[in-house]
Structures are given as structure tokens and as C-alpha cells.
Amino acid sequence: MVGYLIAAPTVVAAARFGLVTEQAKAAGLPTVQPVDHYDLSDILTEAALPTMGLLKVTVNPDGSASFDLPRAEVGQGITTACAMTIADEMELPVEKVHVTLADARPELVWNQLTGGSNSMHALYEPLRVAAAVARGQLVQAAADELDVLASQLSVKAGVITAPGGRTLSFADLAQKAAVTKTTAVTPKLKASSAQTVVGSDQRRIDALEAVTGRKQFAMDLQVPNALPTMLCRPPTINGHAVSVQNLADVKAMPGVTDVAIVEHNQFVQGGVAVRAKTFGQCIDAVRALKVTWAPGPVDGKSADDVAADLKKNELPLTPKLPGTTIEEVFTFHFRPGDPLETNCAVADVRSGSAEIWSSLKSPIWAKEQIATSLGIPPDKTTVHVTQGGGSFGRHLFCDAAFEAAWISKQLGKPVKLMWHRTDNFRHGRVHPMTTSRVRITHAGGNVLSFDQRHTCVATDFTQGIGDLLTSMDQSLPKQNSLQFSQTVFMLTANVPYNFGAVTQLLNEIYDFNTFNTSSVRNVYSPNVTTATELMVDRLAQSMGKDPLALRREFVRDDRLAAVLEKAASAGSWGRPMPAGTAQGIAIHKEYKGASACLVEIDCRPATVNRKVRDAYTGPRVTKVTHVVDVGLPINPLGIRAQIMGGIMDGIAQVLSYGLHLEKGAYLEGSWDNAFYTRQWNVPPEVNVIVMPPTTGKAGGVGEFGVGTSMAAVACAYGRATGKTPTSFPINHDGPLGFEPYPTSPPIPQSPTNGLENVS
Amino acid sequence: MATHSFILNGKQVSVDAEDDVRLLWVLRDLLGVTGPKYGCGLSVCKACTSHINGKAFNPCSVPVGDIKPSDEITTIEGLPATVGKDLHPMQQAWLDIDVAQCGYCQPGQIMAAVALVKEAKAAGREITDADLDGIRNVCRCGTYPRIREAIRQGAANMPA
Ligand code: FES
Ligand code: FES
């Protein structure tokens, strides 16, 4: 482990670092999977490693420290975790560490990609090294200044104290300790027992800005002359605009400055762009446009057609072994993956230069593509990463940034491009429709085999992640989503039980860009785990065992066994429950962590049919106990928040949150159509337990809660109703709970009766 | 185009806009007040929730022409001043409980919470589970349980 002191006016430090891999353990009728030894976290960390030395911790003249983080902050809390890591190692108060989001820096190569919940897994150690180098240099400078040995000095809260009480602050030393020649040093890291910040509950460093409305998202930036801009989008997925009948009329509407057809190509969906003084006038103009549309690639296709295509393309199971066999096919409908902030970006493209602002998880990719496609030199293209209003995988894709850049170039004016909510649901990127067939064979008290055949509409990995995978394995053909998908599936899917011969195979249908898809939060795992755990419950039934007892018996990982025990005891597994209510339990391993979730659900008619205005109520999850072992918890308060979010996703994905594909378009167009968890669905009791450190390595957190929660909710629902659910969300096939907005005009008008609903 | 005047966060402002432009865009695009967020423009997500004369409303669904010169519009930016402090007790509760994740929904959540508590207090009662269940604001990050906890704490520290 080596760090660097960098030649600069104040103390600036960086790290270089080696890779450590982890061993997994297997016992019993053993199951061993490649993912036990090398997973997506490893590949992402390994890819980021070579340029870790380019990340710097800077000591400012006022004694504070700065770090320009080459990742996207979208609510997952990595700016706070980075500030904590640096603060602890440097002995600075957390509020004295300023973490900003770096512009796209192509020299970082694969070290500016935010995905796979990998940020802290990759950054924790290098940040500690850089911070320790900085602290060491400040201490040495103090020793020289005070004429004592460095070992005699103590450091606390940015102040260095010598025996006898003389003190110097980091501010006193920031410039004096600077070096004129970059020098390699081997820093001494704090012992983990001496860490006081890492492992403690810390509130978010941006919380005050968030609660005062001062936190700035892309659409809050005031970029001169970047006027509100929207696209009029086609009635069906990936259709495109051919002509506009009333362009002059729309251009003459109040506030409107520009109207133009935007072509459909590999970078932008296209449509008809309108730019106006206010977004309200953009909405009016979009609605007024009379456009002739060319059909999209899935016109006429409905969910049933996709289901039939999935069925045709399911890979065969392994030959049946003698024994008792249980088998089931699960269907997971398309579901939205969007955050609350709709897709948006600001762009100012001039002849020969471009400046973009957007929440981007692969900004280097965005910068390269924008520069190339617009014919602007990369060094004249600046891509700023703004704070994101959520992501859930969405911002790995740069659609809004591309659109803003193209439209700005075409109009020759700066634009503030925003998607309408209805467009986000209907034309945004979704979690692809999936089926999962699982077959388990058991005999003589042992499980002999477990087969899973996962068949999905293709997940688009071509932006960012796909490029990274290609670079890590040259045998992968570029732009082949199927290859990327197989890699991600192989590096994440796992069966955490000793179930003998395990096979988990993925097959995908359609081209990666037939539907607009993305690696939605936790990617394949929510569906993989839900199908698996429902079948584990069926297995327990078939073997005459209690679901917890069966999991205890077959779990093949000590950390999973520990979280399972903890969840079972903290959540009072097996307590008597009234008919129509039940518990469900599930486990999952990913992101170098282990998690277990115990859910209680109420499916009694009085609950299911409770009334809330314009709301989908349905079964209610009444209590959740979710236990995570993340290896090394940096900020338990933040981890509990992330897992809580994952629980809300899990509930929605089982019970209510899906899309109805009908004739090439989704019917959903607002949050009162697509039923993401709302307060009336929230469990009155949510208890997230973060286990003490186990591995000493920071595992991933942002996506970690989704899969386990979803599986546990599904299992609880199955036990409460006495019937394994096989189609998700469970309300998908019931009567449509809303009146769909028309597809033409493509977006609904804002109501005008807001003053009637004042409360 | 007409000139519209109203009281925004304690100050009389005037702005030129067509009557039917919804107040949200007048605030955000014309006046540069960006605390209220856009999440749907359909009076559904409640990210834009602000106060009119002390009560919660959704400016995405009110034409600016409906606003009178005497109307007091309060956005999250003006909330602390309504209690004469740097932070409203509800904002403090939000900080204490570390509610926000991405934060995008939170200005709307806090404005909705303050109005809800005021309404309950005016009726001389405590916030109930049913009140909390009835909050429509979407939080796509799923901070709901902490929102419930923060509202209870904030309510305890709000004037009667
Ligand atoms: S933007 Fe006003 S309610 Fe959604
Ligand atoms: S905190 Fe992100 S939407 Fe609520």
C-alpha cells in the first residue's frame, strides 16, 4: 500500500493500491458457483483500481479538506461516506471535509462509473490511504516546526498538539507542509479500533441543503438563456416524428421560442422539440403539435405477445433426476425504474464547444459520445455531474444529456431539457419483462438439484457498464447486449443454499434497444431471488419442514446463517398470526454482503379493501425486520436508510408497481397509475439491523435491500393466502386501477383547480 | 400577458406571465424560486407542495391568474421565517432523523407535513396513523418511515 504526496501549493495526497479477493466457503451436499469467488463487485473494483492514484485529497489553506468525487450522488449517501472516511483518517470533523462531484475526467477511465453499488467498495481503502498520507505530512511538518518527534504529537479535530500543550492547526500547516516534488510514501493507517467516525451514525452532509430547498438539481441551475425545453414524443415506444402539420402555429404560441423535429437515432429517441419561456408553455406547445409519426419496433405488441416470445426462448432444464420434483414458472411484468426527478439536463452547445449539466453515472462515456456525435473536440466538451434526484440505475444512461446536447446544437441555443412525468413512464427505461422457471429435486432429505431458467427482454448495458465489461474481457464483442447481460447475470445470480447441482441460466429476447430498458436497481437479483425463495418455501412444504428450519439447514454461508438467525429472533419468527396474515423470510448474498428479511403481511379483506382516495391499497405489509451484514458498515444510519428504501421497492414490486404494455405503449402515465409504495402502503414497523463489522471491507449498500425484501414480501404473501404467487406485481392481471391518459397528445395538461384542494 | 402580483415568502412580488401559466413555472422559471420541485405537473406527486395563506396546495395546478395580490405564497425557502427562526421545527426534525436521501421530494414533504400538523392542531387533536397514511407525497427513495417519525417529532415542537 503506497500513497503519494503531490507537488501542489498545499498538502495534496493520493493512493495506489493492490487488489484483495475473498474466499467463499461450501459444505454439506455442496453447491459451488463461480460467483462465489469473483463477482460484479470484484470486476468493478478491479477496473477502477489502475487510476485510483489520480484521486486526490486536498488540504485547504483554512485547514479543511476537499475531495472531488468521481461518482454520482443520487441519494445513496456516498458523499457522506467519503467525507466520513477522510475525516476519520485525517482526524478532522466531518463537516470540515468538502465532497464535490467531479466533472467527467476521461483520464480516470473506469474509475468514474457509478454502478453495482460499488462506490465505497472501490473507494474506501484508497481514500484512507490518501487521507493518511495527508495527515502524516501535516504531522511531520508540525514536528519540524515544533522541533519534536512526530511520534510525540497527537492529532484531534484538525489540531496537532505537542507534549506540553503547544498546538498547530491544519490551517497553520496546509501550505508549509506542501511538497514541490511528488513523492511516494507508505502511510500508517489508523487501526480500525481507533476509528471513531467510520462505523458511527452520521447524518448526510447535504441534509441541511435538502430540507431548506437549497440543494440544487440540474433543473435548479440558472444557466444563462437555457430556456425550458421538452420533446413531444410518439404515441408508441420508439416511434419517430416524420412531419409536423402546424409548426408555424405552435411557434406562434405564447412564450414559445423554437419548435423543431429531432431525428430518431442511436443517441436520441427524437420527436419534436419545443423551447419556451416556461415549462408550462412547453407543455401547452407539445399538446398542440399535430405530428405524423412513424411506427416504433413494438407497435401492436402487448404483454401477452412478449410473454409468448419469452416462453418460446426459454432454455431447456437439465434432465430430471430421480426424486421428488417441484417446478414453477414466475412472470415478472415490465416495471418502471425511474426516480422522482424526471430525466433532465442542461446543455449549451456552440460551434466548436459544448457544456452539459446532468446527473450522470457514466459521465466519461457521455462526454465521449456527445463530443463524437456532435463533432466537437473532446477537450472542448465539458460535462458537469449534478446532484441527482434519485437514480435506481437510471442515470447509467445519458439519454437526457444526449437529447439536450442535440437539441441545443440544432437550435443553436442553450436549453434546459426536462421530460414530462408521463413521458418518463411511457418512454423511459424500464425493468425488462422476465420469466423465471425453477425446478428443484430432492430425495432422502437432501436437495439434489436446483435449476433456474431466467428469460428476459434484453437489458440494455451498452452505456458505461458494457464498455467496462468489454475492456475487462477482450473476448466480449462490443455492443452486444446479450454478452454483457450474460456477464452481469453470471457475476450476480447465486443460490445461497447447498442444493447439490445448481444451474442458473439466462436467455434474452429482442435487441437491446427494442424496448427502452436499463439495469434497474439490483438488476436481475430481485426477480432471481424472489423466484428462488418462493421455491424454497415450496421445498420446505414438500419436505414437511418449517421455512426457517429448512433455510437454516441448507444455507451455505456463515454470514448468511448469522443474519438469518438475527432476523428470525429480532422479527419473532413463528409467532402466532391470525388467519389471512403471515410471515415470510428470505436471504440473499451480493455486493460482498449478506442480508435476511422477515416480513409480516396482512391479506385480510378488511385490509385489502381499505379505501384511500384515488389510491391502490391492497394487502399491507405490517412489519419488516431486515438484517444486513455489509462487511464493514461505514455509516449505519445511511445504510439503514438505503435498506429502508430497498424495502419500499420490494413491497411495491410484489404488490403493485408494474407497467401494462398494450399495443406498443405502456398505459401508466403518473404515480396514481403506477403504484409505487405510498404512505398508505408503508409498514407501521420497519426495523433495519446493521451487523457489526465482519470482513473489514465495505460492501455495497444502495441496491442491497431490494431483492431480499421483494422475496420476503412474496413469501409472506404466499403463506398468508396459501397460494404461491406466480405473476408480479400481483395486481397486474386484475382490473386496471385507473383511467389511462390518451397517447395523443402524448402528455396530459396540468389541472387548473388547485385552489379547490387547499388543505 | 399580464402583470401578476402576490406576496412571496413575505415580500410583494410582481411578474409578467400569461394568466394560465401554472404558478409552479412562474416560481421556478420566471422568479428563480426552485425549492418547489416538479415531479408530475398533475397534482399527484406533491413534490411542488407549498402554502397559500398558510395552507398546503400544489402550484403545478393553479394558474397564476387565480392568485390575488393579497395571497401569501410560502415555499420551502420562506418556511423558517413563518416561525421567525433559521429553521422550522419540522425542518429540524427532518435533520434530526436524517430523513432525506436524494432530497428531491423533501421540500414538498416538509410543506405538506407542516400543513397537516397545523390542521390537526387547529382541530385540537394529535396526528394519527390515519393522517400519516393519507399523505400523498411520493418519495421514490422510500424515506416514508422516517417521514412518519419526523412528522411526529416536528409536531411536538410546533406551536399549538
Ligand atoms: S409537480 Fe405538483 S403535484 Fe407533482
Ligand atoms: S428523498 Fe429521494 S424522492 Fe424522496
Side-chain angles (χ1 to χ4, degrees):
Chain A
M1 167 187 51
V2 181
Y4 289 94
L5 274 167
I6 294 165
T10 61
V11 173
V12 177
R16 194 158 289 255
F17 216 72
L19 183 72
V20 190
T21 48
E22 200 181 89
Q23 291 297 314
K25 141 188 170 139
L29 247 197
T31 294
V32 184
Q33 294 181 280
V35 65
D36 298 343
H37 301 286
Y38 192 79
D39 65 12
L40 193 63
S41 300
D42 291 318
I43 205 167
L44 293 173
T45 297
E46 203 173 300
L49 210 62
T51 60
M52 276 301 175
L54 298 177
L55 307 191
K56 301 183 191 89
V57 172
T58 301
V59 183
N60 301 310
D62 68 356
S64 66
S66 295
F67 175 56
D68 204 23
L69 170 65
R71 295 289 186 281
E73 171 64 58
V74 292
Q76 80 279 45
I78 54 174
T79 47
T80 305
C82 287
M84 290 171 69
T85 305
I86 294 167
D88 206 343
E89 203 62 47
M90 281 189 74
E91 299 292 356
L92 262 179
V94 176
E95 60 274 14
K96 286 277 179 66
V97 182
H98 312 298
V99 181
T100 47
L101 304 183
D103 290 350
R105 293 177 59 191
E107 72 276 15
L108 290 176
V109 197
W110 304 118
N111 196 3
Q112 196 170 12
L113 188 86
T114 314
S117 291
N118 197 61
S119 296
M120 295 317 294
H121 184 256
L123 291 170
Y124 176 67
E125 299 287 341
L127 274 185
R128 286 185 70 195
V129 171
V133 169
R135 184 198 49 192
Q137 180 64 5
L138 291 163
V139 169
Q140 189 53 55
D144 294 347
E145 190 84 5
L146 299 169
D147 208 13
V148 292
L149 289 174
S151 58
Q152 292 176 288
L153 297 171
S154 66
V155 194
K156 210 174 168 202
V159 177
I160 301 174
T161 307
R166 284 180 304 159
T167 62
L168 283 171
S169 73
F170 284 6
D172 298 330
L173 298 161
Q175 278 142 319
K176 283 190 189 127
V179 294
T180 50
K181 212 172 130 231
T182 298
T183 325
V185 270
T186 307
K188 198 162 170 281
L189 295 186
K190 264 172 117 168
S192 55
S193 58
Q195 288 181 314
T196 53
V197 182
V198 169
S200 72
D201 281 349
Q202 290 285 327
R203 295 177 196 144
R204 291 182 63 98
I205 59 173
D206 57 0
L208 182 63
E209 284 167 342
V211 304
T212 52
R214 294 199 289 264
K215 183 167 175 177
Q216 284 207 318
F217 301 91
M219 293 295 95
D220 302 335
L221 302 174
Q222 310 292 341
V223 175
N225 207 25
L227 289 189
T229 303
M230 277 185 164
L231 269 175
C232 176
R233 294 174 198 274
T236 54
I237 293 166
N238 289 327
H240 56 273
V242 178
S243 61
V244 179
Q245 278 96 67
N246 58 346
L247 202 129
D249 293 351
V250 174
K251 212 167 161 178
M253 287 175 69
V256 175
T257 63
D258 301 83
V259 183
I261 290 190
V262 179
E263 68 169 291
H264 174 92
N265 61 36
Q266 70 180 108
F267 299 103
V268 290
Q269 290 184 4
V272 183
V274 296
R275 180 174 174 272
K277 252 172 49 193
T278 65
F279 277 111
Q281 288 156 327
C282 289
I283 293 172
D284 295 343
V286 165
R287 289 176 50 82
L289 280 166
K290 296 205 177 351
V291 186
T292 304
W293 298 100
V298 292
D299 280 24
K301 260 202 202 304
S302 297
D304 287 348
D305 305 309
V306 179
D309 289 343
L310 287 169
K311 192 160 183 203
K312 271 187 268 172
N313 288 283
E314 193 183 277
L315 297 175
L317 295 168
T318 53
K320 256 192 195 170
L321 299 174
T324 308
T325 291
I326 50 174
E327 185 171 335
E328 190 64 79
V329 187
F330 301 91
T331 301
F332 301 89
H333 287 280
F334 287 106
R335 57 181 181 249
D338 286 316
L340 185 55
E341 175 192 38
T342 55
N343 296 330
C344 59
V346 180
D348 185 355
V349 179
R350 321 224 158 171
S351 69
S353 74
E355 194 168 6
I356 317 287
W357 293 259
S358 190
S359 171
L360 297 166
K361 289 177 147 190
S362 39
I364 299 175
W365 197 86
K367 176 174 165 140
E368 284 165 357
Q369 299 294 321
I370 288 170
T372 315
S373 65
L374 298 184
I376 294 167
D379 61 334
K380 291 281 184 313
T381 305
T382 308
V383 172
H384 306 288
V385 178
T386 57
Q387 296 282 340
S391 169
F392 319 113
R394 183 64 187 78
H395 293 315
L396 274 167
F397 297 85
C398 317
D399 305 306
F402 289 164
E403 282 179 358
W406 276 68
I407 296 169
S408 175
K409 173 162 179 171
Q410 197 172 328
L411 302 182
K413 295 173 186 173
V415 300
K416 186 182 255 193
L417 175 104
M418 189 176 79
W419 285 42
H420 192 276
R421 170 58 56 200
T422 304
D423 289 335
N424 246 61
F425 278 118
R426 292 187 167 167
H427 298 279
R429 292 180 181 270
V430 302
H431 191 286
M433 187 171 175
T434 302
T435 60
S436 201
R437 179 184 294 274
V438 177
R439 190 176 72 194
I440 302 178
T441 307
H442 67 95
N446 269 322
V447 179
L448 307 181
S449 69
F450 177 103
D451 290 286
Q452 186 163 29
R453 297 297 174 265
H454 216 62
T455 318
C456 314
V457 167
T459 301
D460 187 349
F461 286 105
T462 53
Q463 300 195 17
I465 286 249
D467 258 15
L468 180 148
L469 295 175
T470 313
S471 79
M472 297 301 283
D473 179 353
Q474 300 297 341
S475 66
L476 291 175
K478 242 194 183 337
Q479 297 300 326
N480 186 334
S481 154
L482 192 59
Q483 293 299 321
F484 300 153
S485 306
Q486 292 294 0
T487 307
V488 173
F489 185 80
M490 226 174 62
L491 293 174
T492 55
N494 66 89
V495 177
Y497 302 102
N498 278 319
F499 281 172
V502 166
T503 63
Q504 290 176 294
L505 300 177
L506 170 76
N507 199 22
E508 288 195 334
I509 62 169
Y510 311 145
D511 283 336
F512 71 90
N513 55 1
T514 304
F515 286 93
N516 302 316
T517 63
S518 73
S519 35
V520 177
R521 196 179 196 184
N522 208 193
V523 200
Y524 294 105
S525 300
N527 296 353
V528 168
T529 307
T530 298
T532 301
E533 289 288 57
L534 282 168
M535 289 306 280
V536 171
D537 271 9
R538 286 268 285 273
L539 176 68
Q541 222 172 33
S542 175
M543 294 175 88
K545 292 186 176 177
D546 169 78
L548 172 66
L550 181 118
R551 285 175 172 84
R552 260 187 196 140
E553 186 180 339
F554 289 97
V555 64
R556 64 183 180 95
D557 176 280
D558 293 344
R559 292 169 66 199
L560 271 177
V563 291
L564 179 63
E565 285 318 314
K566 184 77 187 171
S569 60
S572 312
W573 174 262
R575 77 182 183 90
M577 304 267 299
T581 71
Q583 296 179 317
I585 195 161
I587 57 174
H588 179 61
K589 195 171 185 278
E590 200 172 353
Y591 311 117
K592 304 296 179 193
S595 95
C597 184
L598 197 168
V599 159
E600 293 185 2
I601 200 168
D602 184 347
C603 299
R604 292 175 293 189
T607 298
V608 172
N609 301 320
R610 72 196 182 282
K611 291 273 175 275
V612 177
R613 175 177 63 85
D614 291 335
Y616 176 76
T617 49
R620 187 157 190 180
V621 174
T622 49
K623 184 176 171 188
V624 179
T625 308
H626 197 130
V627 184
V628 290
D629 165 1
V630 299
L632 175 73
I634 295 174
N635 181 8
L637 183 66
I639 294 169
R640 292 199 296 277
Q642 288 307 301
I643 300 304
M644 179 187 293
I647 292 168
M648 299 306 134
D649 283 17
I651 291 170
Q653 290 176 186
V654 171
L655 300 179
S656 55
Y657 195 41
L659 292 168
H660 290 83
L661 178 72
E662 220 172 275
K663 300 203 174 67
Y666 302 115
L667 299 182
E668 283 74 5
S670 92
W671 297 107
D672 277 354
N673 302 169
F675 306 120
Y676 184 71
T677 304
R678 302 280 280 272
Q679 283 290 6
W680 50 84
N681 311 113
V682 171
E685 265 188 85
V686 176
N687 183 17
V688 180
I689 299 169
V690 179
M691 298 289 263
T694 48
T695 65
K697 294 209 165 44
V701 167
E703 304 169 80
F704 194 28
V706 181
T708 327
S709 303
M710 183 178 173
V713 173
C715 289
Y717 179 81
R719 297 183 75 227
T721 57
K723 203 171 170 303
T724 306
T726 56
S727 175
F728 299 94
I730 54 153
N731 71 339
H732 185 273
D733 305 329
L736 202 61
F738 59 93
E739 181 63 42
Y741 294 116
T743 53
S744 178
I747 54 176
Q749 185 53 279
S750 295
T752 52
N753 64 347
L755 290 184
E756 289 163 25
N757 305 313
V758 171
S759 55
Chain B
M1 180 106 76
T3 302
H4 304 273
S5 179
F6 51 91
I7 301 163
L8 175 59
N9 295 329
K11 283 201 203 95
Q12 195 77 38
V13 294
S14 34
V15 57
D16 292 336
E18 283 69 19
D19 280 1
D20 65 346
V21 176
R22 308 300 189 271
L23 183 63
L24 178 63
W25 309 119
V26 171
L27 294 172
R28 290 186 54 88
D29 299 341
L30 302 179
L31 295 169
V33 176
T34 55
K37 299 291 183 245
Y38 167 82
C40 68
L42 299 168
S43 197
V44 167
C45 76
K46 310 291 172 183
C48 67
T49 304
S50 301
H51 293 173
I52 182 163
N53 305 321
K55 296 191 161 187
F57 82 120
N58 292 107
C60 70
S61 302
V62 177
V64 65
D66 288 2
I67 306 291
K68 297 190 292 292
S70 59
D71 280 335
E72 293 187 30
I73 306 295
T74 308
T75 66
I76 187 76
E77 288 92 339
L79 182 65
T82 62
V83 290
K85 296 217 178 92
D86 288 345
L87 281 180
H88 188 279
M90 198 59 83
Q91 290 170 307
Q92 187 58 51
W94 243 250
L95 291 181
D96 292 347
I97 287 161
D98 202 40
V99 174
Q101 289 185 30
C102 81
Y104 194 82
C105 72
Q106 302 299 350
Q109 301 277 7
I110 292 168
M111 295 307 278
V114 169
L116 181 70
V117 172
K118 276 168 99 175
E119 206 184 346
K121 285 197 192 256
R125 57 178 190 81
E126 299 281 302
I127 286 287
T128 63
D129 278 326
D131 288 329
L132 298 174
D133 275 6
I135 296 174
R136 302 193 71 88
N137 299 55
V138 172
C139 175
R140 186 56 187 79
C141 295
T143 65
Y144 299 113
R146 286 192 186 176
I147 289 172
R148 296 170 88 97
E149 204 184 330
I151 293 177
R152 289 211 151 94
Q153 179 185 315
N157 297 325
M158 265 170 70

